[in-house]
Amino acid sequence: MSLIRHSGRPGLLWFGLAAMLVSAGALVSVPGLLRTDPGRPGPPPQPASSDWAEHSPAETRKQIRALPRSIPERIQISAIKVDAPVVMVGRERDGELGVPPLSRAGKAGWYRNGPAPGQDGPAVIVGHVDSKSEPGVFYRLGGLKPGVDVRIVRRDGTAPVFRVRRIQRVPKKDFPTDAVYGPTDGPALRLITCGGRFDAARGHYTDNVIVYASPATDRWPAAPLRI
């Protein structure tokens, strides 16, 4: 059964399923692996505070039109030098949200059972912060600042741009299900990776870094491009 209403707005089924999965197990527990290579980069950057939000008073918010569903193919964040392919991910057998395999740590994963970026509702894209040997696609995600733009290139030729509004770092056990998956007033984007302290005994980071973004109204496409 589809988790998206025909209007494109996230249905109660989508939100309820997300809440159930998080309560059953860490839905977005993107793994960080044991850091065994002494020549690899240092710890990834962390948000300036555990919950950082800024809004530019000069920016005028206006209603934008949601885009029809289309598969995202690339994510581009020039501020942290990200220009990476996006692959589709689903749920694992244990109920956790899937991520790209560690052999593809340079790729981001879009949760295909939720809204696509540009549709009404929160589109979720996850990525590794690192692997045993190299930084992952979202290694620098914790260094973002509110006001930075995130561009998503979609299969239909459109490239909606989202503006970062908030960066949050939370313990994985306290993952904010309502804030990430709850209803939104129009299109929204969530980027998720690992953060916080690296627990060498378990081979995981203790926290999640979550980026909340909404449409950049001055860079929003009006309709799919003809390709």
Side-chain angles (χ1 to χ4, degrees):
M1 181 181 294
S2 173
L3 302 183
I4 306 299
R5 291 179 180 171
H6 292 296
S7 65
R9 300 194 67 85
L12 292 177
L13 179 58
W14 154 235
F15 174 64
L17 178 60
M20 179 185 69
L21 292 173
V22 171
S23 64
L27 176 64
V28 288
S29 182
V30 185
L33 293 189
L34 190 62
R35 307 163 68 85
T36 57
D37 183 355
R40 70 190 305 282
Q46 301 295 313
S49 68
S50 60
D51 194 356
W52 185 19
E54 291 180 0
H55 301 286
S56 170
E59 183 175 0
T60 302
R61 300 290 183 87
K62 63 181 180 181
Q63 288 295 112
I64 57 94
R65 186 171 66 180
L67 301 175
R69 189 173 180 84
S70 180
I71 293 172
E73 296 188 326
R74 295 195 73 83
I75 180 169
Q76 299 171 336
I77 315 173
S78 60
I80 55 172
K81 299 180 181 180
V82 169
D83 185 356
V86 177
V87 298
M88 290 186 285
V89 297
R91 286 182 290 132
E92 305 292 351
R93 290 184 179 180
D94 61 3
E96 292 190 1
L97 179 65
V99 293
L102 283 165
S103 60
R104 305 167 76 186
K107 296 185 178 182
W110 164 60
Y111 182 52
R112 63 176 179 262
N113 294 328
Q119 283 188 293
D120 279 327
V124 176
I125 295 180
V126 299
H128 292 288
V129 67
D130 62 10
S131 68
K132 288 184 177 180
S133 59
E134 61 183 353
V137 61
F138 284 164
Y139 178 78
R140 298 184 180 90
L141 195 71
L144 282 180
K145 298 178 180 179
V148 166
D149 285 351
V150 179
R151 185 173 185 259
I152 306 294
V153 179
R154 309 189 332 157
R155 184 169 293 178
D156 66 1
T158 58
V161 175
F162 294 83
R163 196 149 288 152
V164 173
R165 310 296 179 186
R166 179 183 177 195
I167 302 98
Q168 185 179 32
R169 178 168 56 83
V170 295
K172 290 181 179 180
K173 62 183 179 61
D174 297 327
F175 187 82
T177 306
D178 291 358
V180 172
Y181 295 103
T184 59
D185 183 17
L189 182 66
R190 312 290 190 238
L191 308 178
I192 307 172
T193 193
C194 285
R197 180 179 61 85
F198 184 76
D199 185 340
R202 296 186 176 184
H204 290 278
Y205 289 93
T206 58
D207 300 344
N208 280 124
V209 171
I210 306 166
V211 171
Y212 301 80
S214 60
T217 55
D218 55 331
R219 300 184 62 188
W220 196 256
L225 303 175
R226 296 295 181 184
I227 57 174

